[in-house]
Each structure stands twice: as structure tokens, then as C-alpha cells.
Amino acid sequence: MQQQRGDEFPAAELLAAERRLRHAVREGDLSGLHGLLHPQLVSVRPDGRSLPGEQETAELAAGTLVVERIEPEETVATVVGPTGVTRTVLAVQGRYRNKAFEARVLCTRTWVHSEEDGWQVLATRVGEVEPGV
């Protein structure tokens, strides 16, 4: 029998994890990221490249990816049992391989929850948002 979680609004816990993730990315907090990223994370970038989680954090650690601003415009969270999905429109600014970027992106993340690790991102898909959307 699966134990029921006591949280009356389980999406609130997931939204808090999403905020911690954005903060860790902006601050380059690798320790914070390791607790939020599932070991089997797959991240799909706007150009369609698929990266394992280790490569994602390695780019932040090496300074290849620097996120200076990451501000949510809209976030929606759905939780079903130990699985959650967040859909966030973000205004981001930073540098990738020393080239400046600024964009509005739609970030969709699939999260899994365990009592031991809490919420962790299993999959991320980031794509640019068309102007006016």
C-alpha cells in the first residue's frame, strides 16, 4: 500500500522545488542542483540537443553556461502521485560559450518525488517562445 503524503496542496511543494532550481541555476549553486536533479536527468535544449544531467551541471561548473537572469512570467504545476510536471515561461539572460543571450523560453520539466530525495527533475525541455505568446 502506497503511503499518502500529508500535503493538502501537493503542487505547492513542487512549485517550491521549481523556485529552488531556478535560484541554484542563477547562482551557479552546484550543490543545490545536485539535490534537485535526478541522476537519470535528460535535458533537451532549444536547439534540440539532448544532454545528460552531468553535462548540464558541468557546463555551469565550467562557466560555459552562465545564467544572469531567470525570471518566471507564468508557472503551472500538476502533481499526480509521485510525478509532477511544471510548465514555466521564463525571461532569461546570460552567456553561453561567452556569447550573450536573452530570450523568453518555455521550460517544461517532469519531476519525480521520493521520501528520501524529495522532488527531483527527471526531464527538461526548453524551447523559445514566439513574441506575443
Side-chain angles (χ1 to χ4, degrees):
M1 179 175 174
Q2 186 174 355
Q3 184 178 12
Q4 286 278 354
R5 295 183 48 217
D7 191 346
E8 192 172 326
F9 302 101
E13 195 178 306
L14 178 56
L15 289 168
E18 175 74 31
R19 284 190 300 275
R20 287 192 307 275
L21 180 65
R22 287 193 307 266
H23 177 79
V25 167
R26 186 182 61 244
E27 298 301 318
D29 177 5
L30 299 179
S31 174
L33 280 174
H34 285 296
L36 291 164
L37 303 180
H38 192 276
Q40 293 175 282
L41 170 69
V42 174
S43 178
V44 180
R45 295 277 181 88
D47 63 6
R49 289 182 303 133
S50 179
L51 303 177
E54 310 86 54
Q55 189 172 348
E56 188 89 359
T57 55
E59 287 189 348
L60 284 165
T64 304
L65 173 63
V66 176
V67 178
E68 298 159 348
R69 183 173 66 105
I70 182 168
E71 296 176 13
E73 295 179 9
E74 166 191 358
T75 302
V76 177
T78 303
V79 174
V80 177
T83 305
V85 174
T86 56
R87 177 192 173 279
T88 306
V89 176
L90 297 165
V92 294
Q93 183 177 5
R95 293 185 318 277
Y96 183 69
R97 299 183 186 228
N98 290 321
K99 183 179 178 185
F101 68 84
E102 185 171 358
R104 280 182 75 228
V105 296
L106 171 60
C107 184
T108 304
R109 300 187 215 280
T110 301
W111 298 75
V112 292
H113 186 275
S114 71
E115 291 302 319
E116 182 178 321
D117 298 315
W119 285 108
Q120 291 188 312
V121 181
L122 181 61
T124 298
R125 170 65 171 108
V126 178
E128 288 199 49
V129 176
E130 295 296 321
V133 174

